[in-house]
Amino acid sequence: MRVNKRIFSVIIAAVFVSGCASVRHAVPEDRMVEAQIFGMRDIRAFSGIPSDIFKKDFLALLEREKKANSLASFMNTRTYSMLAISGGAANGAYGAGLLSGWSISETRPNFQTVTGISTGAIIAPFAFLGSRYDDVLKEFYTKYSTDDIMRLRFPFVNSFASTRPLERIIERYCDAKVLEEIAIEYRKGRRLYVGTTNLDAQRLVIWDMGKIASVGDEKALRLFHKVILASASVPVAFPPVYFNVQVADMEYDEMHVDGGITRQVFFLYDVLQGFDKAVRENGLDLNRNKYQIYVIRNGYVEPRYKEVPDKIISIAERTMDTMTNAQGVGDLYQMYVFTKNGKRGDFNLAYIPASYISQAKEFFDPVEMKKLYELGFNEAVNGYAWKKSPPGISDN
């Protein structure tokens, strides 16, 4: 996540000036996986821990497809399109433009599965619903400035800014109508996932947003908003988002922050461990399933030279950029290896070219975001040349 110099100055000040922390009642480590959101069970999974709930869901989808089609049709090779949208803060303007230009080119698939993290969590619901929401994405990523997204606050307790402005924007765009449309697609068998970071557990949490939407009440709408806000809440800059959970008859709280802290982009392979075996045991043939994974990296993947001034702010900013970019490339490598496992996947990657030099003057600079939006839009309209492998790998 890229943070500008003004924000870094306040972060450093926050190290020396802080208020009193609130008392917490965190989930014990050995009960972590058991924790459930009040009134909503089986809506999420912890990355790195196989999830029986998620596996059963995907098995049920395969079984339903088999029943809905003739055996001969079901035995034919089927190709599913999947989209993973990365973090990147204001750089999400690039992904928004790319999606909109992709629609104009008339080559954009109807994705079976969409995942989003950090700024990608804001984009994901609208990418999931299709091109009719392209104008919403354009407005979100070209209209708002830093002051529209966040407000500095004193004294510092768990952050130096309030995300209430961002929360209001999320509530405005992700309204009950959007929730209802997502629920309809969920019942058709399509899936939408958003990732947050459980800071106590140091794990990515994957939320089944379609299942939440399918509940359809006001509580589900509030939880939907809360998950997206948590995924986009950069630690220290923004306050963590707390989820009240229940383990047996005990109540606890979970601290969640930006999903990009643990992953810059994600898919479900590590919560679906053992899925191939379960498929075989149920008499299904997964080898006939092919998939295309499209990854939109709202950032750079190639090193970019920049002379760094010998100042603490400049060094800190450059260090954060370097760490985030390196983490993002590592996540892309994992996804690439996954697609090559069993030779069933087709990997496709888009990212901001190293030749593009940002001139942003603030965290969310609408002038710069419009340029990024146009860059992604024009690349896609003209037929984006999707990269078939991460940098450094020759895909033969």
Side-chain angles (χ1 to χ4, degrees), residues 25-35 247 250-253:
H25 190 39
V27 180
E29 182 179 2
D30 61 345
R31 309 299 297 275
M32 178 184 69
V33 180
E34 301 174 52
V247 179
M250 296 293 294
E251 297 182 13
Y252 300 94
D253 63 75

Side-chain angles (χ1 to χ4, degrees), residues 2 20 41 118 128 149 191 221 226 273 284 362 373:
R2 193 171 187 274
C20 298
R41 300 185 62 83
S118 196
F128 180 76
I149 300 295
R191 293 294 181 262
L221 183 60
K226 199 171 184 180
Q273 296 174 52
L284 300 170
E362 57 178 303
Y373 179 92

